Amino acid sequence: MKSHVRTLQIAFTYIGTIVGAGFATGQEILRFFTRYGHWALLTILFSAILFIWLGTKMMLIARRITADSFEDFNRHLFGARTGSAISLFTMIILIGVNSIMLAGAGAIFKEHLGLPYQLGLLLTIMGSYVLLRRGISGILQLNSLVVPLMLTLSLILVFNTVGVPGAERFLFLPTDHTAFTAWMSPLLYTSFNLGMAQAVLVPLARHTDDERALIRGGILGGAGIGFMLLAAHFAMSSQMPGILQYEIPMGSIAFRLGPTVQMIFLVLIFMEIFSTFIAGIYGVSVQLQQRLPVAPVLVSPLLMLICYVVSQFGFSSLLGTFYPIFGALCMVWVVMLLRTPVSAPPGHGKPPAGGAGGKKHGITIVSVKPVIRTTRK
């Protein structure tokens, strides 16, 4: 039972880390999949396969090399000097992404709740500071609550879209983009998100004793991400092209399901943004502890202050500008992940206890070479 609980915690944390502001609001799905029309269904399936395969491989490698942070992991992939440089760059990207998460929270408060943009930012920062004091266990518990609700609402969106005029558009939606551009998009999307998810998945794998739970959690988490991508694409395709005008397109879809469902959906979108923001800040804090002798209680507030300043530029403008650039740069990281073999399990290949000959139950086992006799004729 404990193994199954750990599997679900890993899967939910994997999903919750990927399903951030751009995903939960629908902006990422519009930009990386839906706008490519009839190609989107195949590219989503391709992306889900990559999440299952590479996400599980990343966690296995992290566990077997006992990586405490994503800097340890990048040193293993690239070598000490290059790995440190890549980790520094990843940290800068994470700060930028967390600023986007924060901007998404502000957009929800302003566009759908009629509340000040700054209020959304400040409430997110204060809540994050409280939860971050609990460490990785707080992240696991938060995702174990939020992600099942998001999966349930994804099912509700699918059931309510079936039968709506235009529901079949996800199969035949026209596009002006080439096939090459359409198939590069899931590579960029997956590379970027896996590169960012390492900040949480690496320390999570390091503190997971059951490797089978890690593998099952990676497979289940990747499949869950694929399902949520398909559900959101299916729902938004039926509302194209009018849905492109919204900052929070998924919120506009929830609106037609009634005020109660809309409010629940918006709260869950905010919680997904909140969980991803916390995960990113946690990952950068752990990495900074290896570089600087500074307590996390001081690092986290400073990081959140930086994110607050950057988030003043707005949500969709940050998303459209930085995500494609980050995705392209993270493709180098994914190539190295593909090339790096999974290390042997701990203890694999060690000689038996008791020396070269081995010793078991107090009996020394001595290897004897066969004697070869020759006779002269």
Side-chain angles (χ1 to χ4, degrees), residues 16 27 33 68 74 93 106 115 146 233 281 329 335 371:
Q27 282 286 352
F33 299 102
D68 289 314
N74 287 327
I93 292 177
L115 296 173
V146 176
H233 168 64
I281 295 294
L329 295 172
V335 169
V371 178

Side-chain angles (χ1 to χ4, degrees), residues 11 14-16 18-19 23 29 33 40-53 147 150-151 154-155 158 170 186 189-190 193 217-235:
Y14 188 8
I15 295 171
I18 300 296
V19 182
F23 188 114
I29 303 164
F33 299 102
L41 178 62
L42 293 176
T43 56
I44 287 173
L45 293 175
F46 177 54
S47 186
I49 292 171
L50 291 178
F51 276 122
I52 292 171
W53 174 29
V147 172
M150 284 296 293
L151 289 169
S154 294
L155 282 171
V158 170
F170 77 103
Y189 176 78
T190 308
N193 279 286
I219 294 172
L220 188 60
I225 293 167
F227 166 72
M228 293 184 72
L229 279 172
L230 281 173
H233 168 64
F234 177 59

Side-chain angles (χ1 to χ4, degrees), residues 4-12 14-15 48 51-53 56 59 147 151 212-227:
H4 294 309
V5 170
R6 189 63 173 179
T7 295
L8 290 176
Q9 286 182 329
I10 293 167
F12 292 154
Y14 188 8
I15 295 171
F51 276 122
I52 292 171
W53 174 29
T56 305
M59 289 190 286
V147 172
L151 289 169
R212 290 175 300 177
L214 203 63
I215 295 172
R216 291 194 297 262
I219 294 172
L220 188 60
I225 293 167
F227 166 72

Side-chain angles (χ1 to χ4, degrees), residues 105-277:
I108 289 177
F109 272 67
K110 180 181 178 181
E111 185 173 316
H112 291 279
L113 300 180
L115 296 173
Y117 178 82
Q118 301 299 328
L119 179 62
L121 305 185
L122 294 174
L123 287 178
T124 303
I125 288 174
M126 289 188 293
S128 300
Y129 178 76
V130 172
L131 197 60
L132 278 169
R133 299 182 68 178
R134 304 183 63 180
I136 192 70
S137 62
I139 297 174
L140 288 171
Q141 292 167 4
L142 179 62
N143 282 293
S144 296
L145 172 66
V146 176
V147 172
L149 294 175
M150 284 296 293
L151 289 169
T152 302
L153 277 178
S154 294
L155 282 171
I156 293 173
L157 282 177
V158 170
F159 291 143
N160 280 274
T161 303
V162 174
V164 171
E168 72 286 350
R169 287 182 188 171
F170 77 103
L171 292 173
F172 311 106
L173 203 64
T175 179
D176 296 329
H177 298 280
T178 64
F180 175 79
T181 306
W183 283 98
M184 280 299 296
S185 190
L187 288 173
L188 291 171
Y189 176 78
T190 308
S191 299
F192 167 77
N193 279 286
L194 285 175
M196 299 304 96
Q198 65 174 312
V200 174
L201 297 184
V202 167
L204 174 62
R206 170 69 176 85
H207 294 95
T208 299
D209 296 327
D210 189 351
E211 191 169 284
R212 290 175 300 177
L214 203 63
I215 295 172
R216 291 194 297 262
I219 294 172
L220 188 60
I225 293 167
F227 166 72
M228 293 184 72
L229 279 172
L230 281 173
H233 168 64
F234 177 59
M236 288 192 294
S237 294
S238 66
Q239 306 296 317
M240 286 284 285
I243 200 171
L244 294 173
Q245 64 182 310
Y246 294 100
E247 281 270 295
I248 314 292
M250 292 297 288
S252 67
I253 291 177
F255 180 79
R256 60 185 173 84
L257 302 180
T260 302
V261 175
Q262 182 194 22
M263 185 57 62
I264 294 172
F265 194 81
L266 289 174
V267 169
L268 285 174
I269 288 177
F270 174 77
M271 293 302 295
E272 281 293 352
I273 293 171
F274 183 61
S275 65
T276 306
F277 180 74

